[in-house]
Amino acid sequence: MPNGPRYSPPVDLSRYAWLSIAAAAVTIVLKGGAAALTGSVSLLSDALESVVNLVAAVLALVMLKISIRPPDDNHRFGHSKAEYFSAAVEGAMVLVAAILIIWEAVGRLVHPRMPEQLGIGLAISAVAALVNGAVGLLLIRRGAQMRSATLSADGRHLMTDVVTSVAVLAGVGLVALTGRPLLDPIVAIVAGANIVRIGIGLVRSSVDGLMDIALPAELEARLMGVLETHRGEEVDFHAVRTRESGNRRFMEFHLLVPDEWSVKAGHDLAEDIVDELREIEPDLRVTVHTEPLHDARSYEDIEI
Ligand SMILES: [Zn+2]
Ligand SMILES: [Zn+2]
């Protein structure tokens, strides 16, 4: 009798994207106001970051909606890789923002200008940093729990904004204390360089996912351990492969059993092994190809 489907569909994470859209909108207003009030290029660079956040959050919302769509006629494995596009585009946009910031700051190095009303500007920016920090921490925690590349990327992105904001606040504070306007663009350039570093990291982790990266080594070792407990005189395995795809994890292998076993006996063993594997990783999707142990053709298909 059927027990219902073995694999449960991925969960809808789009409400977290709405949260980062709201956070981006609030911080754009706050940081933009602070930059306009003071005329500081480093506060402007901080505000520009939030505009990137808004675009990225909208994109993440679209991608999260796509990634939970069930498999259809031309995407038989589902749509979970859509998340990697979001993370990659977000990384690319972070890079563009950083280059704009550095460009603006270099101009100020040549033509220094003293920012005004720094006290109020600093206070407003500090509030914006607190908003980003709270939302960023939440997204990182949920992203790890749900193994969502989009949420994790978004959360890490927001945390770098907080680091940038704190650095900018310290720099602008020094400008106010010392009365030296050159510190303003210097801080903006250092902040921009840090943003470049983060953007490259985001792009790289997305590319890993798009390239079918294997499951984490520690998890893969535990899954292999399950197979080892079944390996013996009668039973063998080969062509074991794992890969990660957004919020889904896949494993496939060939199960070699005695030539005279019935289809039922081979299938029973395969299903038992799959159950054991999924006890270790409940989200694992496993495909088993069962073959006779003493047949040359069983060994012709080991390579992909
Ligand atoms: Zn089956
Ligand atoms: Zn084989």
Side-chain angles (χ1 to χ4, degrees):
M1 289 306 106
N3 296 319
R6 173 175 242 151
Y7 303 122
S8 49
V11 271
D12 187 348
L13 297 173
S14 56
R15 67 201 147 118
Y16 295 105
W18 281 112
L19 181 66
S20 40
I21 288 173
V26 169
T27 52
I28 284 173
V29 173
L30 290 174
K31 290 177 177 178
L37 209 62
T38 58
S40 155
V41 68
S42 45
L43 288 181
L44 178 69
S45 74
D46 215 18
L48 198 62
E49 250 303 313
S50 291
V51 177
V52 176
N53 290 356
L54 182 65
V55 181
V58 170
L59 193 79
L61 176 68
V62 174
M63 286 301 168
L64 285 170
K65 282 287 185 195
I66 293 175
S67 69
I68 59 162
R69 272 192 210 159
D72 57 25
D73 282 350
N74 49 1
H75 300 94
R76 300 291 194 180
F77 291 87
H79 299 80
S80 50
K81 284 205 176 186
E83 289 199 36
Y84 291 120
F85 290 106
S86 165
V89 173
E90 180 161 351
M93 282 195 301
V94 167
L95 286 175
V96 171
I99 290 163
L100 288 177
I101 289 163
I102 292 170
W103 180 257
E104 180 69 27
V106 168
R108 282 296 182 90
L109 276 181
V110 184
H111 306 287
R113 211 178 79 199
M114 189 61 197
E116 298 149 17
Q117 290 188 286
L118 281 176
I120 307 170
L122 286 174
I124 298 173
S125 280
V127 173
L130 284 177
V131 171
N132 273 340
V135 175
L137 276 181
L138 182 78
L139 292 180
I140 288 175
R141 282 216 336 244
R142 280 304 138 89
Q145 259 169 30
M146 308 294 197
R147 264 201 335 280
S148 159
T150 304
L151 286 192
S152 301
D154 220 15
R156 264 179 290 149
H157 179 170
L158 284 183
M159 290 317 285
T160 62
D161 287 7
V162 175
V163 174
T164 310
S165 295
V166 170
V168 166
L169 288 176
V172 174
L174 273 177
V175 173
L177 283 178
T178 60
R180 288 171 191 272
L182 262 188
L183 262 177
D184 188 30
I186 291 172
V187 167
I189 289 170
V190 174
N194 185 48
I195 296 171
V196 167
R197 195 177 57 82
I198 301 307
I200 291 172
L202 283 174
V203 172
R204 181 172 296 164
S205 64
S206 310
V207 168
D208 279 347
L210 288 172
M211 294 302 293
D212 280 336
I213 195 168
L215 295 183
E218 184 263 347
L219 173 61
E220 211 178 57
R222 285 168 64 208
L223 296 172
M224 288 305 293
V226 168
L227 299 190
E228 287 312 318
T229 62
H230 290 276
R231 206 192 288 271
E233 290 275 287
E234 298 205 303
V235 174
D236 200 3
F237 303 92
H238 63 222
V240 184
R241 283 184 269 272
T242 68
R243 69 188 171 95
E244 182 136 18
S245 174
N247 43 19
R248 285 191 176 92
R249 291 176 159 185
F250 294 94
M251 179 179 193
E252 59 176 59
F253 58 87
H254 300 179
L255 167 64
L256 295 112
V257 298
D259 301 10
E260 62 281 2
W261 276 23
S262 66
V263 171
K264 169 115 175 76
H267 184 253
D268 280 349
L269 177 61
E271 295 289 339
D272 289 348
I273 295 172
V274 172
D275 284 339
E276 287 175 41
L277 291 168
R278 281 172 45 82
E279 252 166 60
I280 290 177
E281 173 51 60
D283 282 338
L284 197 65
R285 271 81 173 151
V286 190
T287 306
V288 189
H289 171 62
T290 308
E291 325 181 281
L293 196 54
H294 298 105
D295 184 335
R297 285 203 290 176
S298 298
Y299 300 86
E300 287 169 0
D301 57 359
I302 297 177
E303 297 305 322
I304 200 161

